[in-house]
Amino acid sequence: MDGLVDDVGLIVPPLLILVGPGMWEVVGDGTLIAIITFVIVGFAVGHLLGGPDPDHSVVLALSTACRHPAIALSIAAANFPEERFGGTILLCLIIGAI
């Protein structure tokens, strides 16, 4: 497990340097608020639909709030090939992880 943590520590800084400007572009135009709202609503819906068992509601809430970034990137790239979505998707991953 320590090797994985070391590898992530090596990958994250260059990734943030590469995609950081794209992330900052969407911060001021309402995208950040939309992402935060999307995560909170997904978490709340998953928690409510999880039923009375706390273990089920927590798992469903977390899986509902966190979406798969590769699918989002594939759909976005297929529909808008000239746009760049890496920064927005990484920002969504960071917000979801928080």
Side-chain angles (χ1 to χ4, degrees):
M1 186 68 172
D2 289 332
L4 178 63
V5 173
D6 292 339
D7 292 343
V8 170
L10 292 173
I11 293 171
V12 169
L15 182 64
L16 288 176
I17 290 170
L18 270 172
V19 185
M23 289 172 49
W24 284 113
E25 281 180 21
V26 299
V27 168
D29 66 355
T31 304
L32 183 63
I33 300 297
I35 291 171
I36 291 170
T37 304
F38 183 75
V39 169
I40 290 172
V41 168
F43 186 77
V45 167
H47 187 70
L48 291 173
L49 295 177
D53 186 3
D55 292 335
H56 291 176
S57 63
V58 168
V59 170
L60 188 59
L62 291 174
S63 62
T64 304
C66 300
R67 302 292 181 197
H68 198 284
I71 293 174
L73 185 60
S74 298
I75 292 171
N79 289 310
F80 304 100
E82 68 281 349
E83 298 289 329
R84 298 182 62 141
F85 297 99
T88 306
I89 292 173
L90 186 61
L91 185 63
C92 189
L93 280 172
I94 291 170
I95 297 297
I98 291 172

